[in-house]
Amino acid sequence: MSLSEDIKDFALDLGYSKVGITTADGFPDYVAELNSRHEMYAWYIESAFHPIEGAEPRSIMPSAKSIIALVYDASKESFPDKLVGKIGRLYQARLYLAPRHRINGARRQLMREFLESNGCEVAPRLVVPERLAAARAGVVNYGKNTFAFADGAGSFILITAFVVDAELEYDAPTLEVKCPPKCTACIDACPTGALYEPLKMDPRCCIAFNTFMTQDGYPGGITSYIPPEIREKMGTWIHGCDICQEVCPRNQRRLKAKLPQNEFLVKVAQDFELTKLLNLSDEFYTKRVQPLMYNYIRGKKYFQRNAAIALGNMGDPAFIPDLAQAMDDAEGLVRGYAAWALGRIGGSQARQILEASLARETDEFAKKEIQAALAAA
Ligand code: SF4
Ligand code: SF4
């Protein structure tokens, strides 16, 4: 067997569903697209991912010859009802940024070690445009919702790409949009208008982005602030948003299939109840939430913020005591979003809590949110 065949065999044995190989040539169209929408993507362009450099692999690794694109299918098992509509499927599957001691990180590490043990130099930290690389390697095509789709699996997939110095056998590209020509279901269903035309999404309006990228200290001027008009559209999503994938006819076969349940997710689902996340203790966060939700959210207070928004959007006065407790949280950010949620639920009980909170509030952000909530309640 050739090295290319060995690599594909090993990857399939590791649990990847598809493996394709393309050249390490650059992606100039991708760079042009990112630069043309700089105001939308400054947070990414300036991030530690260095996507502009990654789109020209040889600028970082002059010996680069090939990109191996691997597709992991996250929807072979069903996701618990308790988490669907709150945590996006790929975040439940904990596929992004997985550390080596968790199964998804271990799989990637085993793949890297296999390549190295077969004489390949593997680029250490090089983030190529994975969807494009995988389409050029013939393992995915596109949807108008900007997601990559793998035939037979749909779009609930993770693509991993390795850049290596070995000359390999290249696959035929599948750089095409395979949607029914008249379908616009994803664009019509997007609550915020983030999907503003086929294949174009403004991340700043995207619910998923707002759940996990709006954190203080991120590049590109991103802060923890989520505008009220986005909060209202976030529904119960606290980590990701699957709406434009859930409505997609190309995902229906998988979404409607009777799949085995993931026993681990069923077991931990109760740990992610919204009221539990709102009033999250340091201990529970460190022991239970952080070790699983390692994807993008880097701080307890952001889970609390997102839970407050979700509870406010549910609009049920039964959550007022939980939100009242959150008005005593140590973080002004949490108090501010709990106030917003109380204002959204409204009523005399919510107003009383907000008035009492305003009298003792010292944090400027929380104070402003309480005043706005009182005006709305
Ligand atoms: S993930 Fe949600 S908010 Fe973002 S584009 Fe899709 S439907 Fe719109
Ligand atoms: S909803 Fe329709 S247009 Fe959107 S990605 Fe799916 S098939 Fe394509």
Side-chain angles (χ1 to χ4, degrees):
M1 281 210 297
S2 67
L3 178 56
S4 300
E5 287 167 336
D6 278 346
I7 290 169
K8 289 181 176 178
D9 258 24
F10 190 78
L12 293 174
D13 191 28
L14 276 179
Y16 292 104
S17 297
K18 292 182 190 291
V19 197
I21 304 174
T22 183
T23 68
D25 294 344
F27 299 86
D29 293 349
Y30 173 78
V31 173
E33 185 70 24
L34 270 188
N35 285 330
S36 73
R37 292 198 278 156
H38 192 278
E39 79 286 3
M40 291 185 199
Y41 284 97
W43 60 275
Y44 188 50
I45 293 169
E46 294 165 21
S47 75
F49 294 115
H50 301 298
I52 302 284
E53 291 83 348
E56 195 48 74
R58 292 191 188 103
S59 71
I60 295 177
M61 180 182 172
S63 60
K65 296 233 170 45
S66 307
I67 302 173
I68 301 155
L70 306 139
V71 172
Y72 185 81
D73 177 359
S75 63
K76 287 184 281 193
E77 294 173 313
S78 67
F79 293 86
D81 289 344
K82 276 188 178 169
L83 298 182
V84 169
K86 291 199 302 195
I87 301 177
R89 287 167 176 78
L90 286 194
Y91 305 101
Q92 289 189 45
R94 293 153 287 118
L95 289 165
Y96 293 111
L97 306 180
R100 286 180 197 175
H101 64 273
R102 307 285 326 190
I103 183 64
N104 295 311
R107 185 183 304 108
R108 190 187 57 223
Q109 180 61 18
L110 284 171
M111 191 70 222
R112 172 182 288 276
E113 285 170 11
F114 177 84
L115 294 169
E116 287 170 346
S117 68
N118 278 275
C120 297
E121 185 194 341
V122 185
R125 277 183 297 277
L126 206 166
V127 181
V128 298
E130 280 137 352
R131 292 176 191 175
L132 259 177
R136 207 167 73 186
V139 286
V140 301
N141 53 74
Y142 297 118
K144 291 179 205 168
N145 61 3
T146 74
F147 283 88
F149 287 73
D151 286 344
S155 64
F156 295 107
I157 55 173
L158 180 86
I159 298 166
T160 302
F162 288 101
V163 178
V164 299
D165 66 345
E167 187 104 38
L168 299 168
E169 293 149 29
Y170 302 122
D171 293 289
T174 47
L175 289 153
E176 57 185 322
V177 176
K178 270 203 180 174
C179 299
K182 289 195 176 144
C183 185
T184 56
C186 49
I187 297 167
D188 300 341
C190 176
T192 60
L195 266 181
Y196 60 94
E197 61 179 74
L199 299 169
K200 302 254 190 211
M201 195 256 279
D202 182 347
R204 298 167 303 177
C205 307
C206 175
I207 291 170
F209 176 92
N210 277 280
T211 61
F212 52 62
M213 284 301 166
T214 45
Q215 302 182 53
D216 294 319
Y218 267 42
I222 299 294
T223 71
S224 61
Y225 182 71
I226 302 177
E229 62 274 18
I230 299 283
R231 297 178 205 170
E232 288 171 9
K233 301 282 170 62
M234 287 169 74
T236 54
W237 292 105
I238 57 159
H239 200 324
C241 163
D242 282 350
I243 294 171
C244 56
Q245 298 181 82
E246 286 172 342
V247 298
C248 176
R250 302 176 66 186
N251 279 330
Q252 295 313 306
R253 197 172 66 82
R254 258 314 158 78
L255 287 172
K256 288 180 179 153
K258 277 244 166 293
L259 300 169
Q261 59 183 16
N262 181 313
E263 298 302 343
F264 177 68
L265 284 179
V266 170
K267 182 167 180 284
V268 300
Q270 65 201 11
D271 294 339
F272 292 87
E273 278 167 15
L274 295 175
T275 48
K276 218 176 236 181
L277 290 178
L278 174 68
N279 291 304
L280 198 53
S281 70
D282 288 342
E283 192 193 0
F284 193 76
Y285 175 68
T286 311
K287 285 200 174 151
R288 207 60 182 144
V289 177
Q290 202 179 24
L292 298 181
M293 290 290 112
Y294 45 68
N295 302 273
Y296 293 129
I297 299 180
R298 298 274 172 271
K300 177 169 92 81
K301 64 184 176 184
Y302 301 118
F303 282 100
Q304 293 178 276
R305 173 197 64 185
N306 295 352
I309 294 172
L311 291 169
N313 284 334
M314 287 170 84
D316 187 342
F319 298 126
I320 289 177
D322 299 291
L323 290 162
Q325 187 184 337
M327 292 308 296
D328 288 327
D329 194 89
E331 286 284 351
L333 181 94
V334 176
R335 298 195 299 276
Y337 283 89
W340 177 85
L342 284 165
R344 190 141 165 80
I345 293 171
S348 59
Q349 194 190 355
R351 279 193 69 82
Q352 276 172 19
I353 295 162
L354 287 165
E355 277 160 5
S357 302
L358 185 59
R360 62 175 188 268
E361 185 58 65
T362 53
D363 179 271
E364 277 312 310
F365 167 75
K367 216 185 250 182
K368 272 194 198 143
E369 288 291 337
I370 296 171
Q371 283 159 345
L374 273 167

